[in-house]
Amino acid sequence: MYTDLQNVIPDIPTSIEENEAAKIEHKVLVIDDNPTNLGLLSNYLKSTGYKVLSARDGESGLEKAQTLQPDIILLDIMLPGIDGFTACRHLKENPDTQDIPVIFMTALSDAKDKLQGFQVGGVDYVTKPLQYEEVIARVGTHLNIRNLTRNLQTQNNHLQATMSELQAVNQTLSKRNIQLEASSEVGQELTAILNVDELLNKVVSLIQTKFNYYFVSIWLLDTNKDVVELRTGIGLAKVRQDIRLDLDDDNIALIWVCKQGEPRLIENLPLEEADSPLNLSVAKSELVLPLRTGEQVIGVLDILSQDFDTFDNDDQVVLQTLADQTATALRNAQLYEAEAQRRRLAESLERVGRILSSDLDLRQVPRRILDELGGVVPYLRGSVFLQVGSELQCIAKRGYPSKKSTGQLQITIDEGGVFQRMTEVGQSVLIDDVIRDEGWQQLDWLPLHHSWLGVPLISKDRVIGMISLTRLKANAFSDEDMHSVQAFASQAAIALENAGLFDEINQFNEQLEQMVTERTEELEQAYQRLARLDKTKTDFINVTSHELRTPLSVIKGYTQILKMLPVNDDVEIEKLVIGIIQGVDRLHQIVDTMLDVVKIDSEVLQVRREPTNLAVMIRDIKYKLRDALEQRQQILTIVDLDELPPIETNPELMFKVFYNLIVNSIKYTPDGGSITLSGQLVEQVGEASQVEIVVSDTGIGIDAEHHEQIFEKFYQTGEIAFHSTGQTKFKGGGPGLGLAIVRGIVTVHNGQVWVESEGHDEEKFPGSHFHVRLPIIQPIL
Ligand code: ADP
């Protein structure tokens, strides 16, 4: 737009002589009523090269002036009709003729007339009789003046045009100036900022406010150059700050620029949703500029405008300059940060070294390492773990929820889990987002942090544990962070070695394992010994009971015969015989019981699945035991049993269950006591219906410590010496098999039996309650 002023201003004639050549072109209008004067003057003028027009009065003179546009008028004052002054006034009032210079011709030498002539617009006057030389000279002078004036006007017009052009140029220049100012400001400010985030924020805010764009953002490539991330954005719109894009969709302008390293201008948006990751549909044009340092593209500067065709060539040049400055400043800041990080790391490591060589309790070392680490690689949750067998044991932690921070933290080492991965490769593991990691074990009581960095603790070429750090957001740890933590990890490993903590824990662990193995072996041996003993016992009972049964039957037969012989008339002898018969019956019962136990032990008992009415069965038992109850003056009450449904059992076996329980109640309840049998239906969600029978007594009760043992074979709480031979005598202990048989039978019926009692007391008689639960319908196995 630069204009050469010399081309605009035309050449200006500098002397009258120069104009002589041009006078042939000039028309002179002579207005005079005197024909002689008119003729003489016209001839003279013509002879000097002028073209002459003439008029004899004011009116026709005005007309000719209007139509023929003379270059100059010689006007007589004394005219018929309107006089010369009036004619001149008309000429000056008419825009078409007002610029034509008028020279008055007057015979009068009166000063008043001359003055009036100038007042009405005349430029000069000549006096009559005319001096032709003078007339020619004055005409020439005024024509020159008029030409000069015209030229000046043209020049003026040109100048005005030039002025507006200059103004436009000026505007462009001041816009450029603002841009350059901004650029220099950005340049100056940027070199001073050494914090990357602060720098990026400053750049976008400067560009956005100085140039008034709709939205300005900076995107940076990650170190592997496979993802570009929105680092900062500012403008009239609000956008999400955590946008990350894979570099696969070239339709997205900023991805294209990242890959090509060339600027890209998109005019005349609206942006399709798919094309703009920012999704700012009001934007009309977009300029994406690469941030380059040397050959490398490190990111892009993305500028959106609300107007169409916003970015002209100059804008693009200036903005690219800004982008280049930004890239350089960014590189510097990154280098500075890396340097500062290295310095912090070195200082921190030195401090750790000092801590280690001080007389600090070495057990505090892991915790101090975590503290120091926080100053170099900020994290939210950090912990130091040591491997103890198949578990990771936490020996120091920071940033854990306060409730749990004091407790022990142990994690089982999972197949494919992070620690195992780390051990396999002997290297750190960085997880950008744990929810996308298959092997990640999230402890349910810990708040979810997305980024995880695990660095192995290596001692004597072996991974002995790890340092684990978390940050809330995904992709928060960088490779530099990892290297820093690794430097700490090697220190930490040495420290832990020095602290002997690892060895100590391992030794302890080995000892523990050794002890467990030894104890297990001992227990195993004891168990086998017991199993052997048990088998021997069972075999012994089996053999003995079978062997006893035959002679018993013989004795019983003979005694029956003896009872029927006439010798029985002797009352004394009869009593003796009856005594023998009772003793034999009791022996029989005991032998039968022993056989039952053998059957239970050898798991040959069968449930026959016969619908059994428990109420009837129990009334039958009561009837059978009526003598004993009467003898002991005890009352047996049956409650609510009639309401119960029949249940599937083997009635013979079930008879033994309740018979044994009721006999026990009679035995362990003092004379005059009472026994109650009650029952109810038990319905539990998700389980088959059951009935529960409770045998309660007002007897001596059982201590809690015996509640389980009494169901074992041959177990009795009382002294063997007090055993009474009678089956239902008070505290007349039997062989200790009754409850073992009860549990065996209930178990094969898929039921449960247990006792409830406040304890053993032979003065207060707290009583016992035996519960038997049985399914109504036996499950099909
Ligand atoms: P025993 O033949 O000795 O009665 P059990 O197996 O029937 O053998 O009972 C084992 C032990 O449980 C008994 O010796 C007794 O101490 C205790 N016991 C059983 N039932 C009762 C009860 N109703 N009240 C108090 N103690 C009982």
Side-chain angles (χ1 to χ4, degrees), residues 664 667-668 697 701-702 710 715-717 734-739 768 770:
N664 275 352
K667 268 201 297 191
Y668 298 106
D697 60 44
I702 306 163
I710 52 172
Y715 187 87
Q716 297 148 322
T717 57
L737 292 174
L739 289 179
S768 306
F770 283 81

Side-chain angles (χ1 to χ4, degrees), residues 705-736:
E705 66 202 77
H706 300 306
H707 285 185
E708 259 310 299
Q709 292 161 332
I710 52 172
F711 290 99
E712 285 167 19
K713 281 192 300 246
F714 305 110
Y715 187 87
Q716 297 148 322
T717 57
E719 288 285 328
I720 306 271
F722 294 148
H723 278 188
S724 146
T725 42
Q727 200 201 356
T728 51
K729 290 234 172 82
F730 184 45
K731 297 206 292 172

Side-chain angles (χ1 to χ4, degrees), residues 547-573:
E547 291 308 313
L548 281 175
R549 248 175 163 247
T550 325
L552 261 178
S553 303
V554 175
I555 295 172
K556 196 173 178 185
Y558 284 132
T559 332
Q560 296 290 359
I561 295 168
L562 195 61
K563 199 182 164 201
M564 286 183 294
L565 287 179
V567 76
N568 279 352
D569 294 342
D570 186 326
V571 181
E572 281 306 308
I573 290 179

Side-chain angles (χ1 to χ4, degrees), residues 527-541:
Y527 175 76
Q528 279 176 3
R529 211 167 44 239
L530 280 173
R532 271 200 309 278
L533 274 176
D534 205 47
K535 172 97 175 40
T536 319
K537 215 157 65 178
T538 310
D539 289 349
F540 171 76
I541 301 168

Side-chain angles (χ1 to χ4, degrees), residues 758-779:
E758 281 170 25
H760 179 100
D761 192 329
E762 297 195 18
E763 282 170 10
K764 293 187 184 147
F765 300 107
S768 306
H769 313 273
F770 283 81
H771 296 248
V772 179
R773 239 186 221 197
L774 294 163
I776 294 178
I777 294 170
Q778 285 299 312

Side-chain angles (χ1 to χ4, degrees), residues 331-523:
R331 193 82 209 108
N332 285 343
Q334 281 173 338
L335 288 175
Y336 175 82
E337 271 188 13
E339 181 51 41
Q341 173 78 2
R342 266 195 292 278
R343 209 179 45 241
R344 277 200 299 276
L345 178 64
E347 284 168 4
S348 192
L349 284 175
E350 205 219 292
R351 273 200 298 278
V352 171
R354 271 208 303 276
I355 293 169
L356 296 186
S357 52
S358 71
D359 51 0
L360 173 91
D361 176 1
L362 290 173
R363 280 165 190 282
Q364 288 182 26
V365 166
R367 169 73 202 195
R368 293 297 283 268
I369 285 174
L370 279 185
D371 291 347
E372 280 295 330
L373 200 49
V376 182
V377 182
Y379 58 86
L380 266 184
R381 213 161 43 223
S383 35
V384 181
F385 285 97
L386 283 186
Q387 180 176 5
V388 179
S390 61
E391 300 214 308
L392 284 172
Q393 195 165 312
C394 181
I395 53 166
K397 51 186 178 300
R398 234 179 76 147
Y400 276 70
S402 55
K403 260 191 283 170
K404 298 277 181 178
S405 58
T406 43
Q408 274 286 343
L409 173 58
Q410 270 170 346
I411 299 173
T412 312
I413 300 171
D414 267 4
E415 193 73 22
V418 284
F419 186 72
Q420 220 206 22
R421 257 183 274 165
M422 196 182 290
T423 328
E424 271 161 22
V425 290
Q427 275 171 9
S428 305
V429 175
L430 203 164
I431 301 180
D432 286 334
D433 194 344
V434 294
I435 55 174
R436 300 221 193 108
D437 188 276
E438 279 180 14
W440 183 254
Q441 303 165 258
Q442 177 67 33
L443 298 177
D444 50 6
W445 52 271
L446 275 180
L448 179 69
H449 293 173
H450 288 270
S451 293
W452 185 79
L453 173 59
V455 175
L457 295 168
I458 300 174
S459 168
K460 296 169 191 144
D461 291 335
R462 208 164 65 84
V463 175
I464 57 163
M466 67 169 174
I467 295 182
S468 144
L469 304 180
T470 67
R471 284 185 188 163
L472 185 61
K473 284 194 176 171
N475 304 295
F477 285 112
S478 66
D479 284 350
E480 281 82 58
D481 291 332
M482 189 163 83
H483 294 139
S484 301
V485 183
Q486 276 164 353
F488 265 88
S490 45
Q491 282 274 18
I494 298 169
L496 291 173
E497 236 169 64
N498 290 351
L501 220 57
F502 177 65
D503 287 345
E504 205 176 285
I505 288 181
N506 259 342
Q507 258 172 24
F508 177 68
N509 185 45
E510 277 165 20
Q511 275 172 9
L512 214 68
E513 269 176 21
Q514 179 73 25
M515 272 159 67
V516 169
T517 329
E518 281 171 16
R519 292 288 165 279
T520 318
E521 260 172 38
E522 281 172 20
L523 281 172

Side-chain angles (χ1 to χ4, degrees), residues 211-337:
F211 300 92
N212 209 13
Y213 290 125
Y214 177 58
F215 197 84
V216 181
S217 56
I218 287 183
W219 301 67
L220 295 185
L221 283 162
D222 71 349
T223 34
N224 297 334
K225 300 224 183 295
D226 49 14
V227 172
V228 66
E229 185 184 17
L230 172 63
R231 285 296 294 267
T232 180
I234 194 165
L236 303 177
K238 279 245 168 296
V239 286
R240 256 178 52 213
Q241 287 291 316
D242 56 344
I243 309 179
R244 286 167 61 83
L245 304 171
D246 292 332
L247 297 189
D248 44 14
D249 187 354
D250 282 356
N251 288 329
I252 297 174
L254 65 91
I255 290 180
W256 186 88
V257 176
C258 281
K259 283 178 166 173
Q260 305 298 322
E262 297 292 330
R264 172 108 181 244
L265 173 66
I266 309 166
E267 296 285 21
N268 308 336
L269 299 168
L271 300 167
E272 290 298 317
E273 197 171 307
D275 287 351
S276 169
L278 293 174
N279 191 15
L280 301 174
S281 49
V282 255
K284 300 287 186 290
S285 23
E286 181 178 18
L287 177 63
V288 189
L289 300 163
L291 297 174
R292 293 175 297 214
T293 56
E295 292 290 284
Q296 277 203 332
V297 179
I298 54 171
V300 297
L301 171 64
D302 185 12
I303 306 170
L304 291 168
S305 164
Q306 252 174 319
D307 306 313
F308 290 115
D309 302 320
T310 320
F311 306 100
D312 63 21
N313 278 340
D314 294 317
D315 291 335
Q316 291 181 42
V317 171
V318 170
L319 290 167
Q320 182 61 61
T321 312
L322 284 179
D324 292 344
Q325 282 174 317
T326 307
T328 312
L330 183 64
R331 193 82 209 108
N332 285 343
Q334 281 173 338
L335 288 175
Y336 175 82
E337 271 188 13

Side-chain angles (χ1 to χ4, degrees), residues 646-717:
I647 61 165
E648 279 188 348
T649 68
N650 176 332
E652 252 171 56
L653 295 178
M654 202 44 66
F655 182 92
K656 288 184 184 172
V657 168
F658 292 106
Y659 186 85
N660 275 322
L661 290 176
I662 294 170
V663 166
N664 275 352
S665 283
I666 296 174
K667 268 201 297 191
Y668 298 106
T669 301
D671 292 358
S674 56
I675 299 159
T676 312
L677 268 108
S678 58
Q680 60 172 3
L681 204 62
V682 182
E683 306 269 15
Q684 271 170 356
V685 183
E687 279 182 30
S689 306
Q690 293 176 310
V691 294
E692 186 175 314
I693 314 288
V694 187
V695 183
S696 294
D697 60 44
T698 56
I700 56 174
I702 306 163
D703 283 335
E705 66 202 77
H706 300 306
H707 285 185
E708 259 310 299
Q709 292 161 332
I710 52 172
F711 290 99
E712 285 167 19
K713 281 192 300 246
F714 305 110
Y715 187 87
Q716 297 148 322
T717 57

